[in-house]
Amino acid sequence: MKTFNIIIAGVGGQGLITLNNIIAKAALNGGYDVKTSELHGLSQRAGSVETHLRFGKKVYSPLVVAGKADLVLGLEITEGMRAVRFSNPKTIFVVNDNYISFLENISKKEIEKKIKSSVGKNLRLVLASEICEKELGEEVVSSVYLLGYCVFKKLIPLKPDSVLKAIKEIISKKYLELNKKAFNLANSHD
Amino acid sequence: MKKEILLGNEAIVQGALEAGVSFVSGYPGCPSAEIGQGFLDVAKEKGIYAEWSVNEKVALETAIGASFSGLKSLVNMKSFGINVCSDSLFPLAYTGTKAGMVIVVADDPSCWSSAQSEQDSRGYAYLSRIPMVEPADPQEAYEFTKLAYEISEKFNTPVILRITTRVAHQRMPVQFEGVKIENEFLKKGEFVKDYKRFSTMPPRVLEMKKELLEKIEKIKQFAEKSKLNKIVGCRTYHNLGIISSGVAYLHVKEALEEMNLDLPVFKLGLFYPLPEKKINGFLKPLKKVLVAEEVDPYIEKEVMATVQKSNLKLEIFGRELVSEIGELNQEKIKFALSKILRIKYKKPIIINSDLPRRHPQLCSGCPYWPAFSAIKKFSPEGTIFGGDIGCNMLSGVSPHNIQDYLFSMGSSVSIGHGIIKSTSQKVVAIMGDGTFFHAGIPALINSVYNKSNILLFILDNRITAMTGHQENPGMGKNGMKEDSPMLKIEEIVAACGVKNIKVISPDNLKELDETIKDFLNKEETSVIISRKICALLEKRQLKQQNENI
Ligand code: SF4
């Protein structure tokens, strides 16, 4: 398999690193080599953050370069849009239909229009926040829901078992059930 | 052997623990903070001593004391930390260490979380004559840390482990021994007096320099054979070779694979001293060499010198193809290789989002929000605002936009003092509590002593927040979470000779208004301590309390 390149894009404080760790562990569980790169510090203060994740037979560089992502996981719609520079015509975008405003003069509608026109048919806008809030009463697990969506729709070459095992290994006992539920919930929705 | 996904910083902690480190000091910064924190989190359990020191100079000197007393030590800091501790770094090269010492310095190419400058700390290896190793990924971070202790103990020298953001914050499956670690610090060291060895008093200091130069010669011999430096790949194409180090090596490997090339690559794990002979041997059969290094062209210059000295006929490529600004990636290397090999370079088509930046922001409920707006509103037109390092440097971005200069830890006061002495303008310096303890105090004393009427605003949020919430001397808790004396900033300020001092909550706008206006008309230095706990910390404390109930 050619190395699979993922960009997780979101806003500092959205739990990108936990999601990154789950996918990395799942890739290792699936028998792949894996490398990731993340940023801490200043950018974590509600700024744009992205983590890079690559897995395959043998991975050297931890960075996904512009134009080379296979999958963009957008935890927020603006940041999903911002990640278009990592995309090529084949890149799949799985983006949480959730908007964290940051400038008065840009509306969610505008961003939506922008991302739809740049990504086109490769865009999957998923109501992850809304569904998690409604069905689990917790928006925080929307990123795990999004991951479930990718796995069950086979948009990421990882098996559900490898991912569930990774979730068990990484999430603390207290939140484990909730996260497992969020992951599996994505299987019951279309 | 164990195999786990580790962050580069975690791999360093693991390596050092396995090497038997028992004394750790440092100052938190990004991207190095998880190293110090990693030791502090396990200190009690593993029986080691660890601390957040008040600044990097103090941290280094503390570790020197431990090393002289026979304990293996580690010092951790971000790039600029080495500037702060350099005053003692140079004499340390002269005296050498007794027990092994590793100094971890984490640079931040592309300045992801650093103001100040895009510093390449490798230059310090030359300046101080301290051996420097440079891992490329977490696996090497683990292995090189252990090897660094071996070199340190073998030659009685400190060793600098230089990493960058993409090493520190890179994750991968790491194989490690995972032996049961019992370091048992428990004050087992002993300082055995040895004036000749530990005191740099002249004329002894020049003898020491001679000894140091001899030592470096020996380490050079060692470098020629060390497994830290390795050659991979074969010679099949156009007589081109590559020399690389650190994370740049990974980009080189990736680029070669994508281009389906198998070129010889010399990977330098030991940056200083360089194995001249080995490099020479590598270069001899080549016609062209690409030096792929991040930020400053140190290795390139060394290669140029070697080529000249040995009269080799060789074309050297480096800076003109690989930028000196910002971090590298595989695409930049592919570009360089394509140029050299005259292969057509296919630039990936990049769509730009042309979205405005989402700047980092103060957390909601952060006490700096009201403080910044009060400072802005109540200072007269034309007031100059000096920024400092920490969460408070966000005063420079929207919507606050009150920052007329930003330099290094503690500099808001001294630069402001210089402006006041040179002009008749008013200056407000804005600084956090952590920074005040780190480097603000001498600057404040200077402005009192030399009679400047600067107004220093100390934003006391009761923690060192920006780098991930580390303890500081104002908290009554140390890094190992033990109770310790709580140093009161207002008492320190008073002891520095400041007469106009007020502690105000940032929510008390009326008092802020009156005090700012009053203090800005004073003839002497004034200090307002705006005290309110960091909102993020408060949230966490509340959560913890709830969980404990
Ligand atoms: S971490 Fe604390 S001090 Fe820093 S911005 Fe957030 S609330 Fe303010």
Side-chain angles (χ1 to χ4, degrees):
Chain A
M1 186 191 93
K2 182 182 144 291
T3 301
F4 194 79
N5 294 329
I6 304 177
I7 290 284
I8 308 174
V11 178
Q14 275 196 308
L16 274 84
I17 290 172
T18 309
L19 184 64
N20 174 71
N21 289 352
I22 293 173
I23 304 176
K25 201 76 183 243
L28 183 65
N29 291 342
Y32 296 114
D33 187 22
V34 59
K35 279 224 168 118
T36 80
S37 182
E38 66 207 45
L39 296 169
H40 298 194
L42 191 58
S43 46
Q44 290 285 42
R45 294 277 172 275
S48 307
V49 253
E50 70 206 18
T51 75
H52 298 216
L53 196 151
R54 313 182 68 222
F55 63 91
K57 218 168 130 242
K58 173 83 190 147
V59 183
Y60 293 102
S61 168
L63 296 180
V64 176
V65 291
K68 291 293 165 75
D70 295 296
L71 174 68
V72 169
L73 266 170
L75 305 191
E76 192 271 350
I77 189 165
T78 328
E79 298 313 313
M81 172 64 204
R82 204 183 298 280
V84 294
R85 75 192 169 84
F86 290 103
S87 72
N88 55 55
K90 285 199 196 122
T91 309
I92 301 290
F93 279 69
V94 176
V95 178
N96 187 1
D97 191 356
N98 161 39
Y99 178 59
I100 302 175
S101 72
F102 68 113
L103 278 179
E104 305 287 303
N105 55 0
I106 305 181
S107 66
K108 183 180 176 210
K109 260 224 167 81
E110 257 175 274
I111 304 270
E112 228 179 276
K113 219 173 100 195
K114 240 174 149 51
I115 194 168
K116 277 182 179 153
S117 74
S118 347
V119 180
K121 64 173 187 358
N122 289 349
L123 174 69
R124 316 285 159 90
L125 263 184
V126 183
L127 290 165
S129 288
E130 204 182 300
I131 292 170
C132 288
E133 182 70 66
K134 206 168 89 199
E135 311 227 352
L136 303 169
E138 294 281 357
E139 192 271 333
V140 285
V141 284
S142 57
S143 59
V144 173
Y145 178 90
L146 224 52
L147 174 60
Y149 181 96
C150 296
V151 172
F152 292 117
K153 292 256 184 305
K154 299 203 164 46
L155 301 173
I156 186 171
L158 290 173
K159 297 209 174 68
D161 284 350
S162 313
V163 182
L164 272 167
K165 187 161 171 262
I167 291 177
K168 271 186 221 142
E169 287 161 332
I170 284 168
I171 302 291
S172 70
K173 241 189 171 154
K174 202 169 153 196
Y175 300 103
L176 183 59
E177 270 317 301
L178 179 66
N179 278 271
K180 280 198 324 210
K181 266 191 205 151
F183 180 76
N184 285 320
L185 192 58
N187 198 15
S188 53
H189 285 255
D190 284 311
Chain B
M1 275 287 185
K2 281 190 177 173
K3 192 175 180 182
E4 263 175 49
I5 296 182
L6 294 184
L7 196 62
N9 284 346
E10 294 167 349
I12 291 171
V13 173
Q14 182 63 30
L17 286 171
E18 286 183 21
V21 73
S22 56
F23 196 101
V24 178
S25 54
Y27 189 81
C30 195
S32 66
E34 299 79 18
I35 302 170
Q37 199 56 54
F39 287 111
L40 284 159
D41 288 346
V42 300
K44 288 258 155 76
E45 167 201 336
K46 307 272 186 217
I48 64 166
Y49 175 81
E51 71 172 39
W52 285 130
S53 310
V54 84
N55 65 36
E56 295 87 348
K57 180 171 188 285
V58 173
L60 175 65
E61 289 153 1
T62 303
I64 293 172
S67 171
F68 287 179
S69 306
L71 297 186
K72 277 193 195 171
S73 60
L74 183 139
V75 194
N76 57 91
M77 63 191 75
K78 78 174 290 171
S79 52
F80 312 130
I82 198 166
N83 309 343
V84 178
C85 76
S86 60
D87 216 11
S88 286
L89 192 68
F90 296 8
L92 174 61
Y94 279 40
T95 63
T97 50
K98 196 162 171 190
M101 184 197 285
V102 172
I103 302 165
V104 186
V105 178
D107 282 347
D108 187 21
S110 282
C111 295
W112 293 108
S113 40
S114 310
Q116 300 189 214
S117 74
E118 192 185 41
Q119 176 169 318
D120 187 334
S121 300
R122 291 181 302 166
Y124 276 98
Y126 295 116
L127 282 174
S128 63
R129 296 195 177 87
I130 293 177
M132 181 181 272
V133 296
E134 228 194 323
D137 60 25
Q139 182 69 50
E140 283 191 355
Y142 163 75
E143 286 162 13
F144 285 19
T145 303
K146 293 174 94 171
L147 288 168
Y149 277 105
E150 277 176 30
I151 298 172
S152 175
E153 298 248 291
K154 187 172 164 119
F155 296 101
N156 288 325
T157 172
V159 174
I160 301 174
L161 183 89
R162 187 256 185 179
I163 53 173
T164 57
T165 300
R166 297 300 184 181
V167 179
H169 291 161
Q170 182 186 153
R171 288 179 204 266
M172 71 182 280
V174 175
Q175 276 209 317
F176 57 97
E177 277 182 35
V179 283
K180 195 161 181 303
I181 304 153
E182 274 166 45
N183 296 330
E184 275 202 73
F185 152 68
L186 301 173
K187 286 194 178 275
K188 288 236 171 89
E190 191 189 358
F191 182 88
V192 182
K193 294 187 187 200
D194 191 347
Y195 177 75
K196 238 188 111 202
R197 185 166 177 189
F198 301 138
S199 183
T200 57
M201 190 68 193
R204 170 76 185 117
V205 65
L206 288 184
E207 278 170 37
M208 284 176 152
K209 181 172 178 185
K210 188 165 167 272
E211 290 160 16
L212 173 60
L213 295 181
E214 287 162 6
K215 190 191 278 184
I216 289 299
E217 272 316 306
K218 281 198 197 123
I219 304 176
K220 255 189 205 159
Q221 304 301 320
F222 167 87
E224 296 289 352
K225 285 170 273 150
S226 169
K227 58 181 170 190
L228 285 158
N229 303 317
K230 62 176 185 193
I231 296 171
V232 297
C234 51
R235 309 193 148 129
T236 51
Y237 207 64
H238 286 256
N239 292 322
L240 167 66
I242 302 171
I243 299 181
S244 192
S245 75
V247 78
Y249 168 75
L250 300 181
H251 304 321
V252 166
K253 288 290 285 181
E254 196 73 47
L256 290 175
E257 199 153 283
E258 282 180 33
M259 294 172 81
N260 219 346
L261 289 172
D262 188 9
L263 300 176
V265 184
F266 195 135
K267 181 188 182 288
L268 286 161
L270 187 56
F271 168 77
Y272 178 85
L274 284 180
E276 242 177 85
K277 279 194 212 120
K278 198 167 177 180
I279 293 179
N280 225 301
F282 176 77
L283 294 175
K284 236 178 209 152
L286 299 176
K287 293 250 154 48
K288 292 173 188 160
V289 66
L290 168 67
V291 183
E293 65 186 315
E294 216 164 50
V295 193
D296 292 346
Y298 291 119
I299 301 174
E300 187 180 339
K301 280 185 193 145
E302 294 267 357
V303 169
M304 278 177 177
T306 308
V307 165
Q308 221 169 29
K309 210 160 97 187
S310 329
N311 238 329
L312 295 176
K313 295 276 164 294
L314 192 78
E315 239 185 309
I316 303 165
F317 298 90
R319 271 315 150 229
E320 70 281 19
L321 292 176
V322 184
S323 170
E324 246 171 280
I325 306 170
E327 65 183 17
L328 296 182
N329 60 36
Q330 49 269 44
E331 208 55 43
K332 292 185 185 177
I333 305 291
K334 271 162 77 179
F335 167 79
L337 287 173
S338 306
K339 285 274 163 204
I340 300 168
L341 294 171
R342 302 213 174 89
I343 309 173
K344 202 168 167 296
Y345 172 69
K346 247 191 29 224
K347 202 173 165 217
I349 301 158
I350 299 165
I351 322 162
N352 273 317
S353 68
D354 49 78
L355 282 171
R357 272 196 68 184
R358 185 193 293 270
H359 285 289
Q361 276 204 356
L362 298 173
C363 307
S364 80
C366 174
Y368 294 178
W369 283 104
F372 288 166
S373 67
I375 294 169
K376 190 171 182 174
K377 198 159 148 206
F378 304 134
S379 308
E381 259 309 295
T383 304
I384 293 160
F385 300 104
D388 224 303
I389 304 297
C391 283
N392 67 80
M393 66 196 188
L394 292 174
S395 69
V397 299
S398 201
H400 322 286
N401 301 318
I402 43 164
Q403 191 178 82
D404 293 307
Y405 56 86
L406 175 69
F407 270 69
S408 57
M409 298 283 280
S411 64
S412 58
V413 176
S414 1
I415 293 175
H417 165 64
I419 294 171
I420 285 177
K421 286 285 164 192
S422 317
T423 68
S424 49
Q425 290 166 287
K426 290 190 192 303
V427 180
V428 177
I430 305 167
M431 187 189 287
D433 48 335
T435 307
F436 178 71
F437 290 117
H438 179 284
I441 298 169
L444 182 62
I445 293 177
N446 186 61
S447 77
V448 173
Y449 172 56
N450 286 309
K451 301 195 283 185
S452 175
N453 65 347
I454 192 163
L455 167 57
L456 168 61
F457 230 94
I458 301 177
L459 299 165
D460 182 9
N461 61 354
R462 320 295 303 137
I463 196 140
T464 299
M466 171 63 93
T467 45
H469 292 92
Q470 290 84 11
E471 293 74 14
N472 74 36
M475 291 177 66
K477 282 249 181 291
N478 66 19
M480 290 210 278
K481 307 256 182 307
E482 297 164 337
D483 290 332
S484 68
M486 188 188 294
L487 275 71
K488 288 221 173 82
I489 294 179
E490 54 274 37
E491 289 176 7
I492 297 173
V493 169
C496 291
V498 179
K499 295 280 174 298
N500 316 309
I501 309 169
K502 251 200 184 152
V503 182
I504 310 177
S505 155
D507 298 322
N508 191 343
L509 290 183
K510 188 163 166 285
E511 201 182 351
L512 276 176
D513 181 6
E514 287 161 12
T515 315
I516 291 174
K517 285 184 181 136
D518 177 27
F519 281 6
L520 276 176
N521 284 320
K522 297 275 188 202
E523 293 290 314
E524 325 84 29
T525 302
S526 309
V527 173
I528 296 176
I529 299 162
S530 163
R531 178 168 293 151
K532 193 176 174 188
I533 185 173
C534 155
L536 214 65
L537 177 67
E538 193 183 22
K539 238 194 250 164
R540 204 168 300 163
Q541 285 175 350
L542 280 176
K543 204 171 143 202
Q544 243 165 29
Q545 275 169 16
N546 286 338
E547 277 175 12
N548 289 342
I549 293 168

